[in-house]
Amino acid sequence: MRNWLVLLCPCAVGVALHLWLLLSCPGGPGRHPAGPLAFFPQWKLKHYDVIVGVLSARHNHELRSVIRNTWFKHLKQHPALSQRVLVKFIIGAHGCAVPVEDREDPYSCKLLNISNPVLNQEIEAFSLPEDVPSVLSEDRIVSVNFRVLYPIVITSLGVFYEADGVGFQRNITVKLYQAEHEEALFSARFSPPSCGVQVNRLWYKPVEQFILPESFEGTIVWESQDLQGLVSRNLHKVMVNDGGGVFRVITLDFSCCLRGEVCFAWEKDKGMQKVMLQAGEGSLPHELTEGVEGIAGGFIYTIQDVIDTYRNVPAKLLNFYRWTVESTSFDLLLKTDDDCYVDLEAVFDRIMQKKLDRPNIWWGNFRLNWAVDRTGKWQELEYPSPAYPAFACGSGYVISKDIVQWLASNSERLKTYQGEDVSMGIWMAAVGPKRYQDSLWLCEKTCESGMLSSPQYSPQELSELWRLKELCGDPCRCEER
C-alpha cells in the first residue's frame, strides 16, 4: 500500500500543478470565459473593494520597481487596506520585434517598408493615364494630406491642365503646408503669362528646395483664383509613385478627384542600406532580449496576443477589463499609469467622504472639448469630429463595476482609437455614466497638497515624492527634520 501511495503522490502533485498553471496563467481567463469558476463553480472569488490597474510598458522595469518600493509597499503593510486592494501591472505579452529606428513611427510596430528606392533623380508622385477624360469641377479648393516616411526633397509643384493648343488659360495657386500650420512652406502660382514648364498635360514650377524630414506631415492645397472650379480627373485612376515607400498619402480632401502633381528627389543617405539590413535580419530590441522581470508578489498581468506599443494601449486596457470581470470580485476599478504618483489612502478617504462606491460612476478629472490632433504622437485618423467627448486624464480615474462589466462584455466590438484615455471617453459617450469631477486627479506634472495622483515623473522623482510623503505626510511641502 505504501508503495502505491509513493507512486500516486507525484501524480496528484502533477495534476494539482497543472491545474494551478492553467488557472493562473495570463492567457487562462481569455481562453476560459468564466475563469476559475468554470472548473470549480463552488469556489467563491476573493472580493476586493478596489482593483488597481497600472498601465506599463515592457521596458519600464525601473518605474515598476519604484512603485513596488513606494505606494505598493505601503499598501501591503497597511493594516486596513492590504486585503481590500488588488494591484496589477498591465503589460503586453510581446515586445515589438522591429527596432525603433526601423519603424514607421515610434508608437507602432509597423516596419518602415522602403523597397527599391529611386535615388538622385526626380520622380512624379502622382500621374494619370492618357485615356482618362477630364471634366470641369465645381471645387475651387482641393488638398492632399501626406506623411514622409524617409527624408525627401520637393523640387517642383504642378497642376493638371489640358491646353488643347491654346496655352495655359487658368490662374491656380499650389501651396505646401506643414500639418496644422497656417503659413505655407512654399508655393507656386500658375497663370497665362507664367505657366511654368509643360510635361505632357502637366505644368510644373520649381520651388525652393529643402529637406522634408522623416515623420513630416503635410498638406498640398490647389486653389483656383478664377470663378470656375478646377479641372478634375477620376480619383480611382490616379497612380501614386511613392518612390519605393518614402511617403504615404493619408487623406484626399475631396470626393472623387485629384488635381496636381508633385515632383521630389531622395535625400541620399549612406546609412540607408545598414538600417534596412538590420530590419531584415530581425535584430531584437533590448526589451525583448531582456524580457519582463519576474512576477514579484504575483501582480503582473500580461495581455496575450498584444504587442506592447503605444498604439495598442487601448486594446491592453479592454483585455484587462475583461480579465477583472472573469477572474475577480470587486466594487471599483482604478486605472493609472506607471509614471504616476498615487495616494491610495487619500483615494479611499475620498470614496468614503463623497460616497463614490455606487453604480454607474466615473470619477476623475475630465478634459472637455479637447481638440483632435491629426499629427504626432496623438495623431487621430479614425475619429472624424474636431473634438473628443469628455474623457478623464490618464493619471488616474475610478469606474464602478457595472461600467467595467459593460466594457468587458463589449470588448470584442468596441473600436480602439489613438490613446486609451480618449478611447474611454468615446466608449463612455454611449453609456452616459455619472461623471464626478475632481481636480485632485492632476492632469499635468505638478504637486498639490492632497492630490490623488500626478503624472509624468521619472523613477527618481517618484522616489523623492514618496520619501517626502512618508517623512512629513505631504510630498509637496516638507521641512526635513
Side-chain angles (χ1 to χ4, degrees), residues 402-414:
D402 56 326
I403 292 177
V404 181
Q405 289 173 327
W406 184 87
L407 290 164
S409 63
N410 292 282
S411 59
E412 298 293 338
R413 296 188 292 272
L414 289 172

Side-chain angles (χ1 to χ4, degrees), residues 204-412:
Y204 290 104
K205 276 193 170 184
V207 295
E208 180 182 359
Q209 297 183 18
F210 60 90
I211 298 170
L212 299 185
E214 180 183 342
S215 299
F216 176 90
E217 296 182 12
T219 303
I220 303 172
V221 178
W222 290 266
E223 182 175 3
S224 171
Q225 304 299 322
D226 305 319
L227 294 178
Q228 65 265 48
L230 295 162
V231 176
S232 69
R233 290 293 186 96
N234 188 336
L235 173 64
H236 300 290
K237 300 293 185 179
V238 173
M239 295 181 292
V240 178
N241 184 349
D242 62 6
V246 299
F247 83 100
R248 174 177 295 164
V249 174
I250 300 175
T251 57
L252 308 175
D253 289 345
F254 45 95
S255 60
C256 64
C257 314
L258 176 65
R259 306 90 173 171
E261 294 296 318
V262 183
C263 286
F264 61 87
W266 270 78
E267 178 201 14
K268 189 173 182 181
D269 189 338
K270 294 181 180 179
M272 170 67 183
Q273 296 299 324
K274 180 180 178 181
V275 170
M276 292 309 297
L277 178 62
Q278 289 176 347
E281 291 174 349
S283 57
L284 301 183
H286 175 71
E287 65 182 34
L288 270 186
T289 55
E290 186 179 65
V292 177
E293 77 275 15
I295 302 177
F299 67 108
I300 288 183
Y301 178 67
T302 55
I303 307 298
Q304 297 299 305
D305 303 322
V306 172
I307 297 176
D308 209 350
T309 64
Y310 177 78
R311 294 286 182 245
N312 285 337
V313 170
K316 287 169 56 176
L317 197 62
L318 285 175
N319 274 273
F320 179 68
Y321 289 154
R322 188 165 63 242
W323 177 85
T324 59
V325 170
E326 294 168 354
S327 305
T328 63
S329 174
F330 64 98
D331 295 324
L332 301 169
L333 185 144
L334 188 162
K335 174 266 167 187
T336 187
D337 295 336
D338 60 8
D339 63 351
C340 295
Y341 169 90
V342 178
D343 188 340
L344 280 179
E345 279 192 85
V347 170
F348 269 89
D349 289 343
R350 200 80 165 167
I351 290 171
M352 298 304 296
Q353 292 170 8
K354 303 296 181 180
K355 295 181 172 56
L356 296 171
D357 52 344
R358 58 181 187 269
N360 199 38
I361 192 77
W362 188 15
W363 171 32
N365 192 357
F366 295 92
R367 297 189 188 273
L368 305 177
N369 301 315
W370 194 260
V372 175
D373 285 330
R374 301 302 181 189
T375 61
K377 179 179 180 180
W378 296 285
Q379 180 186 50
E380 180 62 76
L381 299 178
E382 300 294 331
Y383 192 69
S385 298
Y388 289 114
F391 64 93
C393 297
S395 68
Y397 60 77
V398 172
I399 51 179
S400 53
K401 180 179 180 178
D402 56 326
I403 292 177
V404 181
Q405 289 173 327
W406 184 87
L407 290 164
S409 63
N410 292 282
S411 59
E412 298 293 338

Side-chain angles (χ1 to χ4, degrees), residues 36-167:
L37 295 182
F39 292 93
F40 304 105
Q42 71 275 15
W43 284 7
K44 185 176 181 179
L45 295 174
K46 179 176 172 55
H47 183 81
Y48 299 95
D49 291 349
V50 176
I51 291 180
V52 181
V54 184
L55 280 171
S56 185
R58 289 173 61 85
H59 57 276
N60 287 356
H61 308 291
E62 193 173 358
L63 282 168
R64 291 193 291 273
S65 178
V66 168
I67 289 176
R68 292 190 183 100
N69 291 305
T70 54
W71 62 262
F72 183 74
K73 180 180 179 180
H74 177 76
L75 172 68
K76 290 194 297 183
Q77 296 172 349
H78 196 285
L81 299 181
S82 60
Q83 299 302 312
R84 299 172 62 189
V85 182
L86 175 67
V87 179
K88 291 282 184 179
F89 286 114
I90 311 168
I91 302 172
H94 309 286
C96 179
V98 181
V100 174
E101 62 270 21
D102 296 338
R103 303 178 195 175
E104 284 192 7
D105 61 69
Y107 315 113
S108 68
C109 195
K110 294 180 181 178
L111 175 66
L112 179 60
N113 188 19
I114 300 176
S115 58
N116 301 319
V118 180
L119 297 175
N120 301 322
Q121 60 179 293
E122 288 187 339
I123 66 172
E124 290 182 330
F126 306 108
S127 60
L128 288 162
E130 293 290 329
D131 59 348
V132 177
S134 60
V135 296
L136 188 63
S137 168
E138 296 181 356
D139 297 323
R140 297 182 63 247
I141 300 176
V142 296
S143 63
V144 171
N145 299 325
F146 69 97
R147 183 175 181 211
V148 176
L149 302 179
Y150 195 81
I152 62 175
V153 176
I154 303 292
T155 60
S156 304
L157 294 175
V159 297
F160 169 79
Y161 182 74
E162 287 184 306
D164 293 330
V166 297

Side-chain angles (χ1 to χ4, degrees), residues 386-451:
Y388 289 114
F391 64 93
C393 297
S395 68
Y397 60 77
V398 172
I399 51 179
S400 53
K401 180 179 180 178
D402 56 326
I403 292 177
V404 181
Q405 289 173 327
W406 184 87
L407 290 164
S409 63
N410 292 282
S411 59
E412 298 293 338
R413 296 188 292 272
L414 289 172
K415 182 176 179 58
T416 57
Y417 297 87
Q418 58 84 12
E420 86 281 1
D421 300 327
V422 298
S423 293
M424 187 70 175
I426 295 169
W427 300 332
M428 289 296 95
V431 179
K434 173 65 177 177
R435 293 203 312 265
Y436 185 84
Q437 166 64 27
D438 194 334
S439 61
L440 291 177
W441 298 101
L442 303 186
C443 294
E444 306 297 337
K445 184 181 178 180
T446 56
C447 197
E448 296 182 12
S449 295
M451 63 184 180

